[in-house]
Amino acid sequence: MTVIETLLQALPDKEIPEGMKHDTLTLTWEDRCRSHGKRQTDGGLEFGLSLPSGTVLEQGNCLILEAENVLIEVVEANEKVLLINPLTQYQWAYWAYQIGNRHQALMITENELVCMDEPAVSMLLLQLKVPFRKAVRAFRPAIKVSGHTH
């Protein structure tokens, strides 16, 4: 089994080198944080991944299976999320603080706070009386890896 040890940040000009096959690797947020292990492309090709610890794969990153002459492009999977639309600066700050204080990953966009649709998060939002709705989209939290300890 081929093991990939190098990550390309993105394919220059989105052009696949001539003669090279193209495949994709669709991963959830949790899987994009795993830099080691066995993987399978969307096309069914198996390979091993051994990237430096702490590597987080992102949309558009590329991996190359040299022996198979295949370029693999990372795709962020759509996942179940909770959407929160704060209306005031206080809501933005307070709700983001409460979610982060519970060690939950948080994505911050121009208009909303986005959390993974997990029981701990929905319970918190219900307790705080925070209005939210469910959706499905790619999840990219503001902080990739938590280094917080007690």
Side-chain angles (χ1 to χ4, degrees):
M1 175 184 302
T2 301
V3 175
I4 297 175
E5 297 178 335
T6 306
L7 172 69
L8 300 174
Q9 292 305 314
L11 187 60
D13 302 324
K14 293 281 185 187
E15 288 186 27
I16 300 165
E18 190 172 329
M20 187 168 269
K21 298 173 198 157
H22 179 257
D23 204 341
T24 54
L25 178 65
T26 303
L27 300 170
T28 64
W29 163 246
E30 188 174 315
D31 289 335
R32 291 193 321 270
C33 292
R34 293 188 180 129
S35 56
H36 293 82
K38 187 176 175 182
R39 299 286 184 272
Q40 183 174 1
T41 67
D42 298 335
L45 190 60
E46 291 187 351
F47 64 96
L49 195 60
S50 183
L51 299 173
S53 293
T55 300
V56 177
L57 297 171
E58 297 178 355
Q59 178 84 22
N61 286 163
C62 294
L63 307 164
I64 294 181
L65 289 172
E66 301 219 8
E68 295 83 353
N69 198 31
V70 176
L71 180 134
I72 303 166
E73 187 173 358
V74 174
V75 176
E76 295 175 347
N78 286 327
E79 304 182 66
K80 293 180 181 179
V81 296
L82 304 175
L83 305 178
I84 305 162
N85 293 99
L87 300 175
T88 67
Q89 290 179 342
Y90 175 82
Q91 287 178 342
W92 275 97
Y94 183 71
W95 293 346
Y97 169 81
Q98 291 295 338
I99 294 163
N101 195 43
R102 278 24 173 233
H103 301 254
Q104 299 298 321
L106 178 66
M107 179 174 153
I108 303 170
T109 73
E110 189 84 15
N111 303 312
E112 58 200 4
L113 299 173
V114 183
C115 308
M116 294 299 296
D117 186 356
E118 296 176 354
V121 178
S122 54
M123 292 279 293
L124 170 66
L125 298 177
L126 289 170
Q127 287 172 352
L128 296 174
K129 296 182 173 59
V130 175
F132 66 91
R133 66 188 190 286
K134 295 183 178 207
V136 176
R137 66 169 64 160
F139 183 69
R140 284 173 242 97
I143 299 174
K144 295 179 182 171
V145 180
S146 173
H148 183 86
T149 60
H150 288 270

